[in-house]
């Protein structure tokens, strides 16, 4: 192809003509995005470039400082763009920057959702720790999903979803300054990933996933990749992927799958993916579960179904199913995307049909059955019964000493059942109980409380110490948790047949004035507001010299 050079004088004339026609010189490019081009400086020298468009309030010096590596100055960039006076530049003007001049720095990825057991293996010291939401993943780190799954977001917003029993290593996570371009290189040693990659800038941004048998170089697409001892398989649902054994890549478009075997020949086979199933309409907002999802019959007999949270990308469920229906169940309130794909004869998933749904369940108050309000029981582990009035609800019993339920004495486990036992034995006394129901993870309803009396005997009160001070004696005794007060008796003989003093006391200590030289005996018992029996504790002798 013949290359033509335009002299500065000709450029000026063309610019003047465009201005006379009222056409802005930057009309063909977005103001807020750069683009990569290859500009020939000579007949044999082609330099990959990135073109930046000045935004409102930006200056040439600021852009140069933000984007250029330390070894390149703003003056050199002016010279490269043949700009005499940077003060003449303003909003919408474009600056050409060679890609090799841009800043490069490591930019960690971030775990945006994690479910189940997932480990992060440090690339620095090999230490293992649990991967949790918002954990940063740096160059050299490896993520190992055992029984769990994780969604990982890269610096440019691209997403990588790691399925269970997979190992993914982050070999390069480079960002080109504030240009928005990244160079990402991952290695999938085992398992499966689902990715959605932002469009890359030719000659600049890069996204590659390497496996033991193949390489997938991405241009901006959505695709899935699986690797194992037999080889590597790819399914492209959007865009294109350059895929194959090293140095043997072929471009795979959307709607096609490809496989590279690990038998030493690295043979690449390309197949058209099964069409997306036609999913029948379903209410966009589900107010009760289960809800039946159906689709039109097709030649396929088996399907793969995946459920993702729309906002977080959390991988909620993945399963293989047969037939042409599925019961949507056990989802918390929120927005979801359900992906359904037919499986071919090799078990590879085809193009997915997508069903967006929103779950909005409301908990309803349970109807209490037994024990009756104000009833009494002789068992310290009484059984509670109720009926549920909503759909897809879980419930638990809550037991407290007062009607505000500010301090729970015992509960039961959350479960979809209608009977439960308390989490621990209940001491004799008076309690309040209720049933709390939950639906959709964030909708809660509580029943009216009921009074319950657990029959029993209050333990005897034991005196723990006696202090003598002058003519006064102070008595201390053990506290009984279920007691509301204590009854004290004072006698002159150990059989307490002749009581000389008796009093009800709210605390666990009392002071007595005694006649010196005489012997006394004291004993206590606990009292309760409820119908609990009590008995006297052992007496203690008192003697004041």
């Amino acid at each position: 192809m013949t290359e033509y050079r335009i002299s500065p004088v000709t450029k000026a004339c063309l610019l003047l003509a465009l201005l006379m026609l009222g056409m802005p010189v930057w009309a063909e490019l977005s103001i807020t995005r750069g683009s990569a081009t290859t500009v020939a400086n000579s007949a044999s020298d082609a330099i990959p470039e990135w073109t930046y468009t000045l935004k409102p309030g930006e200056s040439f010096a600021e852009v140069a400082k933000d984007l250029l590596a330390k070894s390149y100055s703003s003056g050199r960039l002016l010279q490269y763009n043949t700009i005499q006076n940077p003060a003449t530049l303003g909003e919408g003007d474009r600056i050409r920057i060679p890609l090799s001049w841009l800043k490069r720095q490591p930019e960690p990825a971030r775990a945006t959702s994690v479910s189940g057991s997932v480990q992060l293996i440090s690339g620095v010291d090999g230490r293992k720790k649990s991967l949790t939401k918002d954990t940063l993943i740096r160059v050299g780190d490896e993520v190992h999903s055992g029984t769990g799954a994780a969604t990982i977001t890269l610096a440019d917003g691209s997403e990588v979803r790691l399925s269970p029993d997979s190992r993914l290593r982050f070999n390069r996570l480079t960002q080109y300054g504030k240009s928005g371009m990244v160079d990402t290189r991952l290695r999938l040693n085992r398992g499966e990933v689902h990715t959605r990659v932002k469009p890359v800038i030719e000659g600049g941004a890069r996204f590659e996933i390497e496996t033991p048998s193949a390489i997938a170089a991405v241009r901006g697409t959505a695709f899935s990749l699986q690797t194992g001892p037999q080889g590597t398989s790819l399914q492209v649902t959007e865009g294109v992927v350059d895929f194959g054994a090293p140095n043997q890549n072929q471009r795979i478009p959307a709607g096609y799958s490809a496989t590279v075997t690990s038998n030493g020949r690295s043979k690449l086979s390309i197949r058209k993916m099964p069409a997306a199933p036609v999913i029948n309409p379903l209410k966009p907002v589900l107010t009760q579960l289960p809800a039946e999802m159906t689709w039109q019959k097709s030649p396929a007999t088996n399907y793969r179904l995946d459920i993702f949270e729309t906002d977080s990308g959390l991988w909620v469920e993945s399963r293989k199913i047969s037939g042409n229906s599925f019961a949507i169940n056990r989802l918390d309130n929120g927005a979801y995307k359900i992906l359904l794909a037919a499986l071919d004869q090799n078990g590879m998933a085809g193009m997915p049909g997508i069903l967006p749904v929103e779950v909005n369940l409301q908990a309803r108050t349970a109807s209490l059955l037994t024990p009756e309000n104000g009833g009494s029981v002789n068992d310290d582990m009484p059984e509670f019964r109720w009926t549920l009035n909503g759909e897809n609800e879980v419930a638990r019993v809550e037991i407290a000493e007062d009607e505000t339920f500010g301090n729970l004495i015992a509960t039961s486990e959350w479960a979809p059942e209608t009977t439960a036992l308390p989490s621990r034995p209940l001491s004799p006394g008076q309690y309040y109980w209720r049933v709390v129901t939950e639906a959709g993870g964030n909708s809660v309803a509580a029943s009216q409380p009921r009074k319950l009396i657990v029959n029993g005997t209050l333990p005897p009160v034991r005196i723990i110490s006696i202090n003598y001070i002058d003519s006064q004696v102070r008595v201390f005794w053990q506290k009984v948790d279920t007691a509301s007060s204590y009854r004290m008796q004072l006698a002159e003989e150990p059989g307490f047949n002749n009581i000389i003093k008796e009093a009800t006391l709210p605390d666990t200590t009392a002071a007595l004035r005694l006649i010196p030289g005489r012997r006394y005996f004291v004993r206590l018992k606990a009292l309760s507001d409820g119908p609990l029996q009590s008995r006297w504790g052992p007496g203690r002798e008192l003697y004041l010299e």
Side-chain angles (χ1 to χ4, degrees), residues 409-477:
I409 300 299
T411 65
S412 65
E413 297 293 331
W414 288 104
E417 311 300 331
T418 56
T419 63
L421 299 177
S423 55
R424 67 177 183 85
L426 301 178
S427 300
Q430 177 177 286
Y431 300 94
Y432 292 88
W433 70 279
R434 68 182 182 183
V435 172
V436 178
T437 50
E438 181 187 272
N442 58 11
S443 179
V444 176
S447 69
Q448 289 296 315
R450 281 186 175 184
K451 185 186 294 186
L452 173 68
I453 296 170
V454 178
N455 296 325
T457 301
L458 291 173
V461 179
R462 296 184 179 276
I463 297 172
I464 55 178
S465 68
I466 298 173
N467 294 344
Y468 295 91
I469 304 173
D470 297 330
S471 62
Q472 190 178 78
V473 178
R474 181 163 287 276
V475 181
F476 299 87
W477 57 89

Side-chain angles (χ1 to χ4, degrees), residues 185-260:
R185 303 185 198 183
L186 312 176
R187 181 176 175 87
L188 181 65
N189 289 309
R190 183 181 76 227
E192 177 179 11
V193 292
H194 293 236
T195 69
R196 182 169 293 276
V197 181
K198 292 292 181 72
V200 301
I201 299 173
E202 292 289 343
R206 186 173 181 178
F207 187 101
E208 286 185 0
I209 299 182
E210 178 187 5
T211 73
S213 56
I215 295 176
V218 183
R219 303 297 178 189
T221 183
F223 71 96
S224 301
L225 196 68
Q226 305 88 25
T227 191
Q230 304 304 317
T232 301
S233 298
L234 167 83
Q235 301 87 40
V236 184
T237 54
E238 294 179 20
V240 294
V241 177
D242 290 340
F243 176 74
N247 301 317
Q248 300 178 35
N249 284 4
Q250 291 191 34
R251 184 155 293 187
I252 312 299
Y256 284 83
S257 63
T259 301
V260 174

Side-chain angles (χ1 to χ4, degrees), residues 5 60 67 217 275 285 366 411 442 451 528:
R5 291 184 174 275
F60 180 87
L67 298 180
V285 180
T411 65
N442 58 11
K451 185 186 294 186
S528 171

